[in-house]
């Protein structure tokens, strides 16, 4: 893990054109073996969902979400602060340095519902399109276990609508993806430690978890250094400003203590 992960010019071009890419072995087997129990325990400890799946709404059924574990657990911080991950993010974005936005563990339970089609950037008061998420399963998964699925090239259409993740975003963006004939792309399987990276504007979804195992996924979101904060455009962006960017304010550089440079 101390050596950089190699990215070829072909992979960079693929990412620029598709808005997403699958990379194998971004974390080594030994590294995943070491950190999987740490992240799982942190999710158990800090997770707050207690309702049975049947009683939750669409968002609640999609995954158990536990955020910014790096602030709560020193060992998870070691995982999130890996410069190897951040360097891949910077290389794919074509920028020199990236900052941490936040991390989230997204565990989709067996029987968990689909993740509606959405664009991440709707949530983020950041004045850049240079935002990227690393999505890494900590267990081997097949396509029926809630694989992340992308509308290839959809980032080039910009922000499509002002929609939070919901049944409505799912309906409208599924229609948009079909109208624009974006290829819908997902991996058949991913091994623990493989990762996908996608841009904040890439339209994406994930299926329900039809397998019998918990889909344990860890994500890390980065943005380009020197990015400024925008005036929040919705309640989610106001919450993000408070939660992930404090003490910085709209108009300022997003370079507060919660947003360190990681490469
Ligand atoms: O893991 C999922 O089901 C959805 C993840 C996602 O939308 C993201 O990481 O941006």
């Amino acid at each position: 893990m101390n050596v950089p992960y190699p990215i070829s010019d072909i992979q960079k071009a693929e990412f620029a054109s598709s808005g997403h890419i699958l990379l194998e072995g971004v974390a080594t087997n030994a590294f995943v073996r070491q950190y999987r129990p740490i992240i799982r325990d942190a999710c158990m400890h800090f997770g707050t969902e207690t309702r049975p799946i049947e009683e939750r709404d669409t968002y609640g059924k999609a995954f158990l979400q536990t955020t910014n574990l790096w602030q709560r657990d020193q060992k998870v911080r070691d995982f999130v602060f890996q410069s190897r991950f951040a360097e891949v993010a910077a290389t794919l974005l074509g920028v020199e340095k990236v900052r941490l936005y936040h991390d989230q563990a997204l565990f989709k339970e067996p029987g968990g519902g689909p993740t509606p089609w959405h664009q991440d950037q709707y949530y983020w008061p950041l004045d850049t399109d240079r935002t990227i998420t690393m999505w890494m399963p900590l267990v081997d998964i097949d396509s029926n276990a809630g694989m992340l699925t992308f509308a290839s090239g959809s980032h080039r259409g910009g922000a499509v609508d002002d929609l939070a993740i919901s049944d409505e975003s799912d309906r409208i963006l599924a229609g948009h993806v079909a109208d624009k004939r974006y290829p819908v792309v997902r991996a058949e399987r991913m091994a623990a430690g493989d990762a996908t990276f996608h841009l904040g504007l890439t339209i994406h979804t994930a299926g329900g978890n039809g397998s019998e195992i918990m889909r344990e996924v860890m994500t890390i979101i980065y943005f380009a250094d020197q990015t400024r904060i925008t005036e929040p455009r919705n309640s989610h962006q106001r919450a993000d400003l408070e939660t992930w960017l404090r003490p910085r304010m709209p108009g300022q550089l997003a370079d507060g203590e919660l947003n360190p440079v990681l490469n």
Side-chain angles (χ1 to χ4, degrees):
M1 291 295 294
N2 290 329
V3 291
Y5 183 89
I7 307 273
S8 67
D9 286 346
I10 291 174
Q11 287 171 317
K12 276 191 247 176
E14 176 191 332
F15 183 77
S17 145
S18 306
H20 63 93
I21 193 165
L22 166 65
L23 299 175
E24 291 177 1
V26 176
T28 61
N29 290 340
F31 186 82
V32 175
R33 261 200 310 279
Q34 183 184 351
Y35 282 96
R36 177 185 169 209
I38 292 167
I39 292 171
R40 207 178 34 198
D41 289 354
C43 287
M44 297 290 175
H45 191 71
F46 296 109
T48 53
E49 182 59 81
T50 52
R51 297 165 298 172
I53 289 191
E54 319 72 77
E55 289 176 19
R56 302 182 213 152
D57 64 6
T58 302
Y59 192 96
K61 286 187 171 104
F63 38 64
L64 302 170
Q65 180 178 29
T66 325
T67 53
N68 255 23
L69 286 170
W70 76 268
Q71 286 179 281
R72 315 199 214 188
D73 185 307
Q74 179 63 37
K75 295 201 195 98
V76 180
R77 183 181 187 279
D78 294 342
F79 180 100
V80 172
F81 277 42
Q82 287 295 312
S83 57
R84 176 169 154 119
F85 299 158
E87 191 56 33
V88 173
T91 303
L92 293 173
L93 287 178
V95 301
E96 201 180 325
K97 296 283 172 196
V98 288
R99 289 181 178 272
L100 175 63
Y101 191 32
H102 55 277
D103 68 66
Q104 18 185 29
L106 298 174
F107 281 24
K108 201 184 276 281
E109 302 146 287
T115 307
W117 284 102
H118 66 281
Q119 288 178 301
D120 299 333
Q121 198 113 355
Y122 165 82
Y123 289 89
W124 302 340
L126 294 172
D127 192 15
T128 183
D129 66 352
R130 298 292 84 193
T131 59
I132 190 167
T133 299
M134 181 185 89
W135 189 93
M136 179 180 283
L138 304 173
V139 290
D140 297 349
I141 57 170
D142 289 329
S143 58
N144 73 339
M147 188 63 80
L148 204 56
T149 302
F150 306 97
S152 262
S154 56
H155 61 296
R156 281 183 263 129
V160 173
D161 218 331
D162 258 352
L163 294 171
I165 300 183
S166 58
D167 293 331
E168 196 192 5
S169 76
D170 194 58
R171 187 174 47 76
I172 291 181
L173 290 176
H176 175 80
V177 167
D179 285 351
K180 296 281 180 189
R181 299 175 189 235
Y182 293 126
V184 172
V185 174
R186 80 176 63 84
E188 269 311 305
R189 58 189 58 81
M190 289 176 75
D194 293 350
T196 58
F197 287 77
H198 65 273
L199 287 168
L201 284 172
T202 303
I203 302 172
H204 58 285
T205 180
N209 186 353
S211 81
E212 281 169 7
I213 57 156
M214 177 76 92
R215 189 209 67 178
E216 298 174 29
V217 163
M218 184 63 174
T219 69
I220 308 174
I221 303 161
Y222 309 87
F223 59 86
D225 184 27
Q226 297 299 318
T227 293
R228 279 187 194 279
I229 302 174
T230 54
E231 205 57 58
R233 287 186 299 111
N234 55 49
S235 60
H236 299 284
Q237 293 196 1
R238 270 191 292 284
D240 265 37
L241 176 64
E242 282 278 305
T243 314
W244 316 127
L245 295 164
R246 64 169 190 278
R248 299 289 184 261
M249 297 299 285
Q252 295 184 317
L253 286 176
D255 61 357
E257 62 195 14
L258 300 182
N259 311 113
V261 169
L262 290 188
N263 64 320

